[in-house]
Amino acid sequence: MSKVLFVCLGNICRSPLGEGILRKKAQAAGVDIEIDSAGTGDWHVGQLPDPRSIKVGKANDCDMTMRARQVRASDFKEFDLIIAMDHANVRDLERWPGSDPSRVRLAMSFTENTVTSEVPDPYYGEYSDFESVYDLLDDACEGILAELSETYAR
Ligand code: 4NP
């Protein structure tokens, strides 16, 4: 079994959506993956996702009842893959106490998208920005599931 952690800045917009989407896809495919998400910042610890992330997630049959937490040093031992949304997240994770940069990858690196390497921060945007984030992460999660299915295939 593999363990995957999605990471963004606040853990209320992008990474909870990644968590919800990959959980839905893994369940549908019958693939055993443990999935969590966390933020590099601590402002929203304990909170539900942003209402706009809940809305777009629920509209696509994703469970969105997770609560925000901050990244911790033990995450670099516990999770095989730590999936960052943007380059700032990667930089922060590489400098984190206890970091293992070899486990850190950009979400869009699991796709064939050559237009954007980042899932952009939608926090100060509109609902349509959250729909765009959903589409990018749906694509990324397809790639993540394909790669994990290959790695852990018996
Ligand atoms: P996220 O979005 O990193 O996708 O969860 C943000 C949420 C909150 C803040 C920034 C980004 N904030 O500054 O509080």
Side-chain angles (χ1 to χ4, degrees):
M1 203 234 304
S2 47
K3 297 185 75 167
V4 175
L5 181 70
F6 288 92
V7 173
C8 60
L9 180 58
N11 192 210
I12 54 167
C13 298
R14 293 165 292 175
S15 59
L17 269 178
E19 178 183 350
I21 294 168
L22 186 61
R23 186 168 291 128
K24 176 182 75 169
K25 288 184 186 295
Q27 277 170 359
V31 179
D32 197 12
I33 310 175
E34 195 168 314
I35 307 160
D36 196 5
S37 65
T40 56
D42 66 357
W43 314 286
H44 300 285
V45 168
Q47 294 179 11
L48 284 167
D50 184 283
R52 297 163 294 179
S53 279
I54 293 177
K55 184 177 172 186
V56 73
K58 279 191 172 171
N60 290 280
D61 300 317
C62 298
D63 174 70
M64 296 298 293
T65 57
M66 60 285 280
R67 295 278 174 169
R69 72 166 176 91
Q70 193 173 26
V71 172
R72 40 187 179 245
S74 58
D75 289 333
F76 294 94
K77 290 199 170 68
E78 187 177 343
F79 292 91
D80 311 292
L81 263 181
I82 299 177
I83 300 179
M85 298 296 143
D86 59 35
H87 293 287
N89 302 151
V90 171
R91 208 160 44 238
D92 289 342
L93 287 167
E94 285 175 349
R95 293 172 183 167
W96 207 268
S99 180
D100 179 353
S102 72
R103 300 183 188 215
V104 178
R105 278 181 61 181
L106 280 169
M108 294 310 291
S109 75
F110 291 90
T111 75
E112 294 181 356
N113 188 321
T114 53
V115 178
T116 178
S117 60
E118 301 191 306
V119 180
D121 184 351
Y123 188 57
Y124 294 104
E126 325 225 316
Y127 183 64
S128 61
D129 297 303
F130 285 74
E131 293 178 309
S132 303
V133 163
Y134 187 93
D135 290 341
L136 291 173
L137 285 172
D138 191 75
D139 190 14
C141 287
E142 284 292 325
I144 294 162
L145 191 61
E147 196 169 306
L148 291 178
S149 304
E150 218 164 88
T151 307
Y152 292 89
R154 275 170 288 173

